[in-house]
Amino acid sequence: MAEVRADVGWSGSVEEFLAARQSEVIASLAAHHRGLLAMKPSPSQLAAWQAEHNTLTAAFTEILTRRPEAAEWGVVFEYELPLEGGRRPDVIVLAGGSIALLEFKVGAGIATPGAIDQVLGYARDLSEYHEASRNRTITPILVTSWGSRSLRRRQVRICTPPGVATELLAAARPGYIDLKEWLRSPYVPLPSLVEAARRIFQHEPLPHVRRAESAGIPETVALIGRIIDQAQANQERRLVFVTGVPGSGKTLVGLRVVYEQAGDEAISTFLSGNGPLVKVLSNALGSRVFVRDLHAFIKTYGQTERTPRQHILVFDEAQRAWDKGYMAYKRGIEASEAELLLRIGSELSGWAVLVGLVGDGQEIYSGEEGGIEQWAEALRSLPNRDDWAVHAPPRLTSTFDRLKVTAHPELDLTISLRSRRAEQLHAWVGSLLDADLAEAARLAADVRQSGFSLYVTDNLESAKAYLDDRYAGEPNRRYGLVASSHAKTLPQHGIDNSWLTTSRVKPEQWFNAPPDAPESCCALVQPVTEFGCQGLELDMAVVCWGEDLVWEDGWRYTPIRRRYPQDDPNLILRNVYRVLLTRGRDGLIVYVPADPVLLRTREALETAGMVSLEHVDRRRAGASDDLTSTTDPSPGK
């Protein structure tokens, strides 16, 4: 008998599916829909389920004539991906020892880029986060009403209803997957930074995500905990650095350390010079206790006689601390922020642990070019420098020569968690910004093959249509416009990235508000600049490219010259685009306005491996660089 579960619309074997009346299956799907969305299914939804049922009835009947053992295959309608805000593939078939995932877009008629990427995303998430699906062959199948033959785009098979049986037979592999065990199997998706922070400070356990565990995050947190315990027990002062590529979980490590050390005495706090990050996290947590503004903290305790009660200070982006010159310009103080933080730590009674989180290539403000070296210089200048012991990853120990330093490999996070479907994204961005378009193109092929979208367009409406299609039925997804603050011509193209406008954006609403709210990023109206999105993430970022970085047989930089003199304004601008291009978890769309000044830039991005959104949209599911056709795929052995 088919099993009734709250997290699926209907589930059972192929034999049970064919034995059940259509009205019974539809009633089960309707009840699940009401429980999930608190509303009745629409007539169009009921008609879609009926069409799916008819298609699968015909497909399974045909399959059984060729593969009688298929009667034991498992069938799952509307499987709700746990902790994913209601995301649910239409149908999952446990085809022998493999998994076929079907998404029906028959009403739409064509296989749009958004629909293709959506079904591919479902398949990738099952492979990555569902324990019983790991190491299984997963075949995403998109069923449309357009086309006369089966097609393939990347790993997605595209067919019309009569071709479903052929595609399921091709997807099948020897073996058997027990349906009940598959449904009970843990599904633990990687949470966003904001969602992870919510869970941590609401005393909810974070999921044991395989990628986070393989990245060594639990070991990093445990090591810092031991260092803190030793410092407190022996009344010592320690300076700890955690390095990592963008999106590797440094902020998550810092928040976890603060949470685990937070007790009645509140001896720890998380400091960030990233104002939007502080606001977004404070809004999400409903508290300003655990996350505080770094610059305000230094002003309060580093420039007065006051002493904080916290003995553990975790601060984000340590390499971006203001140097001595900028502090003199901004505050009239002849000391860097590194010096002031170390002085605060030196004045704390008994013991202190300062934990600095260090990112690579993230300097976007004036006064941040000093990097990690200024911490070594600041420590050497302290009268009590012998009281301090440094703990750092091996690659930083040489910076702290003539000081007490211990190397710990666990303090270097080298795997990106943010770009869950494209670990090579950061390498691709690096090659692109290095003007090595050939290497970028080589990397882009792997990035796109992994399911991470790399699109370029000169039509913002095309980007909006793609996003509406890509995230249909996924209300918890976040996507938005981001742009360089150095670009001056974007307002002419409807992208108001001016300081006056972007300074009025409330980041806590832009990132956290419901997608139908006008102030939400998902409204795709108001962009934020690098200052508003650094350290935060979206599921999909639409990068609005400006005239500040154009291709002329190499990159030509036109950075804004700030009032404070910069050591390397081109480095600042380069890092601006590095930040913008690495905000997305699922993919990236670059909007290059149809401006003659940017024509060669658009061409360079396509040469570097980005796919024209207009091209794939025009070709629909037709043959393209990513698309091959098959007339009759042979069944799997």
Side-chain angles (χ1 to χ4, degrees), residues 22 33 143 174 208 217 257 434 490:
Q22 184 182 84
H33 186 279
V143 185
H208 296 289
I217 287 179
V257 168
D434 284 341
L490 284 176

Side-chain angles (χ1 to χ4, degrees), residues 135-152:
N135 299 322
R136 297 280 187 180
T137 298
I138 301 179
T139 302
I141 301 171
L142 186 62
V143 185
T144 73
S145 58
W146 177 87
S148 59
R149 58 180 181 174
S150 295
L151 303 163
R152 182 184 298 176

Side-chain angles (χ1 to χ4, degrees), residues 14 20 96 142 284 372-373 449 459 537:
V14 166
L142 186 62
I372 204 66
E373 291 80 7
Q449 186 71 12
N459 187 331
E537 57 194 352

